[in-house]
């Protein structure tokens, strides 16, 4: 019988605790009245407790004609049998953080690298350009030789490219981030 009484007391106690969590207004369990705000620690300022909404984070777009990059064994060849490797970009995403004066954009790109008939296993540098445009104005443009390791010519490999770009915090809502492969100027 004492086991049943103990279980009953435990269940009733649990129900009272859970009921107390949902009863009354916010702060009533702390002994505060509904109109009395919780006291702030002396070290916090009013600005530190204000809610912050992230707001604008520019979209990322692949520029037309820059999502695929091929190299050929022969410099002027465009023949499929001369392809050394082909890389392509598929998906993008971004994250942003803001300070009083800057906006930092972290761009992530998913890509795939495939060997061609002339390909060999090893590290391959892919020229990836990240450009931030505010309307018609170029804010920044950077190119990076991103190394991707192709372990086996018979197996394509996927890669994720991450680039952090910091721009002035006063960019407009027309700001866009463009990414893609940069082949440089074509020689004639």
């Amino acid at each position: 019988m004492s086991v049943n009484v103990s279980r009953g007391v435990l269940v009733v106690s649990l129900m009272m605790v859970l009921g107390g969590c949902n009863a009354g207004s916010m702060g009533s369990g702390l002994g505060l009245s509904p109109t009395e705000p919780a006291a702030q620690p002396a070290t916090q300022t009013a600005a530190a407790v204000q809610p912050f909404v992230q707001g604008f984070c520019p979209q990322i777009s692949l520029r037309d004609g820059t999502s695929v990059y091929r190299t050929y064994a022969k410099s002027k060849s465009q023949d499929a049998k001369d392809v050394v490797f082909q890389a392509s970009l598929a998906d993008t995403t971004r994250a942003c953080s803001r300070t009083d004066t800057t906006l930092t954009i972290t761009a992530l790109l998913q890509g795939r690298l495939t060997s061609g008939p002339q390909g060999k296993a090893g590290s391959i540098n892919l020229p990836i350009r990240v450009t931030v445009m505010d309307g018609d104005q170029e804010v920044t443009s950077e190119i990076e030789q991103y190394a991707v390791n192709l372990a086996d010519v018979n197996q394509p490999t996927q890669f994720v490219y991450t680039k952090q770009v910091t721009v002035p915090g006063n960019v407009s809502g027309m700001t866009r981030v463009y990414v893609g492969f940069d082949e440089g100027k074509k020689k004639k």
Side-chain angles (χ1 to χ4, degrees):
M1 180 167 134
S2 66
V3 173
N4 288 337
V5 171
S6 296
R7 285 184 188 165
V9 170
L10 179 64
V11 169
V12 170
S13 298
L14 183 60
M15 288 175 51
M16 288 175 58
V17 169
L18 291 176
C21 290
N22 294 324
S25 64
M26 189 167 86
S28 63
L30 300 174
L32 300 175
S33 68
T35 58
E36 182 181 341
Q40 297 295 323
T43 58
Q44 285 187 335
T45 64
V49 294
Q50 294 295 321
F52 178 75
V53 177
Q54 174 60 49
F56 177 68
C57 188
Q59 290 183 351
I60 295 184
S61 301
L62 293 171
R63 281 217 163 137
D64 291 339
T66 65
S67 62
V68 175
Y69 180 70
R70 285 185 199 96
T71 61
Y72 295 89
K74 297 177 184 173
S75 64
K76 294 185 181 184
S77 177
Q78 294 292 312
D79 193 346
K81 69 178 178 170
D82 292 331
V83 173
V84 177
F85 70 86
Q86 175 176 309
S88 60
L89 298 173
D91 291 324
T92 64
T93 190
R94 82 270 192 217
C96 293
S97 62
R98 185 180 292 275
T99 67
D100 292 343
T101 58
T102 63
L103 172 66
T104 301
I105 308 159
T106 303
L108 286 99
L109 312 168
Q110 177 198 8
R112 180 180 169 137
L113 179 65
T114 306
S115 177
Q118 303 298 320
K120 297 177 184 169
S123 182
I124 296 158
N125 288 327
L126 302 175
I128 299 177
R129 179 177 294 278
V130 177
T131 303
V132 179
M133 300 288 293
D134 188 2
D136 293 339
Q137 294 281 359
E138 183 177 292
V139 178
T140 185
S141 185
E142 297 178 32
I143 188 169
E144 179 179 350
Q145 295 295 324
Y146 183 68
V148 177
N149 188 39
L150 185 63
D152 183 355
V153 294
N154 297 316
Q155 294 293 319
T157 189
Q158 292 190 6
F159 62 92
V160 175
Y161 173 78
T162 304
K163 179 70 173 177
Q164 242 184 19
V165 180
T166 301
V167 296
N170 63 351
V171 293
S172 73
M174 299 295 293
T175 302
R176 297 286 183 261
V177 178
Y178 293 99
V179 296
F181 294 113
D182 188 295
E183 296 183 34
K185 295 184 178 182
K186 301 273 186 182
K187 295 179 182 177
K188 293 184 179 182

